[in-house]
């Protein structure tokens, strides 16, 4: 191996550390999300030492560099807006700390790239670990909702993020072993999502599965009848099993809807309706910059005026169970714009640079859709674990070179995902 190849491999090994940590150990350790900023700072330190020692910065293909700068800019913009809001109105220091760490990591990653086999291996390890955790907690530990060290909702979002990548890997890779492992992990991860009992995450996963099944039937249904029948059967069984595991939550949903129809806004769904109504009213008080931490007092004022019911007032929500409304209330139009930029820029970049890479293109769009829908009923961008999961996954996917260099084509062909 040449000296330049060793330097390149060493650089990428250091750069990839926060991605590997976020996809794996962050979810395994108690309060693992709190260590993410330290992992980024450690990476920055090691990167600086390496740069001084090797006196090399490495080169990145120009289009790849431009798209990484675009997403890094979106994260930095959000950090600045949320930071100014924190200084003015207080708020969540954990969210701001995570965004600051991600800003450093996004900037660090601008000149970095990742080989497909490294990212694929990490994703498969993540999928196997999530599956093991969920199956153990649900069946062996007899837990009603698998979640390990986290709230079931953000934990489910983490599982679903890995599931999306594994799913598109199964449909796109040419590597036989990787495809088999991905096809095995996909239904197991579908079941794992169901074991978390999180309806707001299960819905976008179901829609993604339906869309992919219909697309596969349209493109290959006639020419690959046996494969189509097997895949459709597996997805049907996995989805049906997931629905069975979610049966208790689905029954509770029907009961809550009946109570809402009768005029009783209590329970999980009813309280959400109260919070959303309150959030719309609160967003009008400071529409540009938001209320920050002052939203709590203003919410109680609404309760005194009878704008929200007693149950909602007693709950005193830390957030409004809708990322868009929550961000609008706390950070105003500026904050909501920053949030939408983080969410949508990767999808735009995928359309521009990765149309021919089915794994990256599908994973980016699928993950974007997952979070867009999840944001309707929860606040994944308030939780350090899910903020890190989204951003580092996108950075890693956007770091896969759009077209493989000729000198690597032969050695990487077995893990090609461009089909």
């Amino acid at each position: 191996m040449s000296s330049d190849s060793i330097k390149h491999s060493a650089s990428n090994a250091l750069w990839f550390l926060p991605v590997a940590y976020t996809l794996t150990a962050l979810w395994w350790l108690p309060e693992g999300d709190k260590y993410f900023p330290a992992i980024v700072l450690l990476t920055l330190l090691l990167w600086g030492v390496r740069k001084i020692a090797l006196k090399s910065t490495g080169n990145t293909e120009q289009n790849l560099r431009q798209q990484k700068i675009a997403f890094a800019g979106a994260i930095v913009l959000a950090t600045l807006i949320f930071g100014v809001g924190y200084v003015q109105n207080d708020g969540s220091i954990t969210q701001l700390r995570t965004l600051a760490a991600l800003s450093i990591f996004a900037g660090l990653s601008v000149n970095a790239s990742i080989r497909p086999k490294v990212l694929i291996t990490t994703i498969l390890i993540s999928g196997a670990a999530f599956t093991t955790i969920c199956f153990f907690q649900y069946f062996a530990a007899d837990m009603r909702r698998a979640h390990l060290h986290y709230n079931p909702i953000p934990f489910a979002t983490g599982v679903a993020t890995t599931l999306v990548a594994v799913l598109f890997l199964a449909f796109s890779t040419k590597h036989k072993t990787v495809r088999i492992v991905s096809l095995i992990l996909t239904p197991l991860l579908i079941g794992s999502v169901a074991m978390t009992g999180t309806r707001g995450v299960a819905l976008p996963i179901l829609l993604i599965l339906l869309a992919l099944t219909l697309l596969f039937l349209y493109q290959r249904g006639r020419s690959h009848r046996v494969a189509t029948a097997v895949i459709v059967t597996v997805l049907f069984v996995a989805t049906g099993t997931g629905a069975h595991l979610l049966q208790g939550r689905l029954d509770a949903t029907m009961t809550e809807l009946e109570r809402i129809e009768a005029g009783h806004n209590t329970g999980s769904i009813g309280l959400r309706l109260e919070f959303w109504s309150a959030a719309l009213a609160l967003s009008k008080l400071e529409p540009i910059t938001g209320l920050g931490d002052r939203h709590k007092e203003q919410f109680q004022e609404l309760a005194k005026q009878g704008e929200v019911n007693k149950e909602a007032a007693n709950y005193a929500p830390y957030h409004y169970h809708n990322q868009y409304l929550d961000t609008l209330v706390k950070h105003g139009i500026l904050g909501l714009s920053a949030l939408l930029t983080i969410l949508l820029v990767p999808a735009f970049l995928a359309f521009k640079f990765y149309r021919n890479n089915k794994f990256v293109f599908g994973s980016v769009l699928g993950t974007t859709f997952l979070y867009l829908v999840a944001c309707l009923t929860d606040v994944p961008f308030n939780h350090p674990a899910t903020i890190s999961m989204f951003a580092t996954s996108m950075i890693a996917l956007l770091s896969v070179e759009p077209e493989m260099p000729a000198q690597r084509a032969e050695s990487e062909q077995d893990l090609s995902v461009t089909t």
Side-chain angles (χ1 to χ4, degrees):
M1 183 180 289
S2 67
S3 176
D4 288 341
S5 297
I6 295 174
K7 291 179 180 180
H8 179 78
S9 298
S11 298
N12 281 333
L14 293 176
W15 164 81
F16 195 70
L17 179 60
V19 178
Y21 177 79
T22 304
L23 291 175
T24 57
L26 181 148
W27 300 97
W28 307 344
L29 301 174
E31 298 185 329
D33 55 323
K34 292 185 177 181
Y35 306 133
F36 176 75
I39 295 294
V40 171
L41 291 178
L42 175 62
T43 302
L44 180 63
L45 175 63
L46 294 174
W47 181 279
V49 171
R50 181 211 61 83
K51 182 178 179 181
I52 294 172
L54 299 180
K55 298 180 181 180
S56 174
T57 58
N59 295 315
T60 303
E61 195 271 332
Q62 188 61 27
N63 285 339
L64 184 62
R65 177 183 171 87
Q66 290 176 352
Q67 66 201 49
K68 302 282 282 300
I69 289 175
F71 188 51
I75 297 175
V76 171
L77 174 64
T79 304
L80 291 175
I81 290 175
F82 284 39
V84 171
Y86 181 81
V87 171
Q88 290 181 336
N89 300 312
D90 207 352
S92 173
I93 188 62
T94 56
Q95 179 192 45
L96 184 58
R97 183 171 60 238
T98 303
L99 285 171
L102 285 168
S103 295
I104 295 172
F105 177 57
L108 190 66
S109 71
V110 165
N111 288 314
S113 60
I114 191 65
R115 294 185 177 183
K117 64 181 179 182
V118 176
L119 179 58
I120 289 169
T121 301
T122 306
I123 289 171
L124 294 180
I125 291 172
S126 176
F130 273 130
T131 297
T132 302
I133 291 167
C134 290
F135 274 74
F136 174 82
Q137 287 200 313
Y138 193 86
F139 291 107
D142 198 25
M143 296 179 65
R144 188 170 61 90
R145 299 181 69 180
H147 58 83
L148 198 57
H149 306 297
Y150 294 87
N151 179 286
I153 299 177
F155 185 78
T157 308
V159 178
T161 305
T162 295
L163 167 57
V164 168
V166 171
L167 178 62
F168 281 98
L169 185 59
F171 275 89
S172 61
T173 184
K174 293 178 180 179
H175 191 280
K176 185 176 180 180
T177 302
V178 172
R179 172 166 285 178
I180 292 172
V181 174
S182 300
L183 287 173
I184 292 172
L185 281 177
T186 294
L188 295 176
L189 285 168
I190 293 172
S192 298
V193 170
M195 290 172 195
T196 67
T198 305
R199 296 164 295 192
V201 173
L203 176 60
I205 289 298
L206 177 62
L207 294 175
I208 291 172
L209 288 171
L210 177 61
L212 268 181
T213 301
L214 293 176
L215 179 62
F216 190 85
L217 288 173
Y218 175 75
Q219 291 183 338
R220 305 183 182 183
R222 295 181 179 178
S223 58
H224 299 75
R225 294 183 179 180
V226 175
T228 300
V230 171
I231 291 174
V232 171
T233 300
V234 170
L235 290 179
F236 179 79
V237 171
T239 303
T241 303
H244 175 72
L245 294 172
L246 274 170
Q247 189 61 49
R249 298 287 287 169
L250 296 176
D251 291 340
T253 299
M254 297 305 299
T255 300
E256 289 182 33
L257 291 176
E258 291 173 0
R259 294 170 66 183
I260 291 171
E261 189 177 1
H264 302 294
N265 278 359
T266 58
S268 178
I269 298 176
L271 287 176
R272 276 178 166 80
L273 294 176
E274 292 290 313
F275 297 153
W276 297 346
S277 176
L280 288 172
L282 294 174
S283 66
K284 299 175 183 177
L285 299 180
E286 293 286 349
I288 304 300
T289 58
L291 294 168
D293 217 35
R294 292 184 292 124
H295 76 94
K296 298 175 183 177
E297 298 123 33
Q298 294 298 330
F299 180 83
Q300 293 303 324
E301 287 296 322
L302 288 180
K304 291 178 182 178
Q305 298 168 13
E307 296 294 326
V308 294
N309 62 32
K310 182 179 178 181
E311 288 79 4
N314 291 337
Y315 192 96
Y318 174 72
H319 62 77
Y320 292 86
H321 295 269
N322 179 299
Q323 187 71 70
Y324 309 112
L325 293 176
D326 187 78
T327 303
L328 190 61
V329 168
K330 297 175 182 177
H331 302 283
I333 295 173
L334 291 176
L336 181 60
S337 299
L339 169 68
L340 292 175
T341 301
I342 291 178
L343 268 169
L344 298 178
V345 162
F348 171 79
L349 295 173
F351 270 105
K352 186 173 182 179
F353 295 104
Y354 285 102
R355 295 292 293 273
N356 294 325
N357 190 319
K358 294 181 181 179
F359 167 59
V360 175
F361 184 70
S363 296
V364 170
L365 293 189
T367 302
T368 299
F369 179 75
L370 167 66
Y371 278 78
L372 282 170
V373 177
C375 283
L376 293 173
T377 54
D378 190 48
V379 285
F381 288 91
N382 288 23
H383 304 299
T386 41
I387 299 173
S388 302
M389 190 71 166
F390 177 85
T392 57
S393 295
M394 290 301 190
I395 290 172
L397 289 166
L398 294 174
S399 297
V400 176
E401 297 178 2
E403 293 184 2
M404 195 175 301
Q407 63 267 29
R408 288 194 207 158
E410 184 176 350
S411 62
E412 296 280 8
Q413 189 175 9
D414 60 338
L415 284 176
S416 173
V417 291
T418 55
T419 58

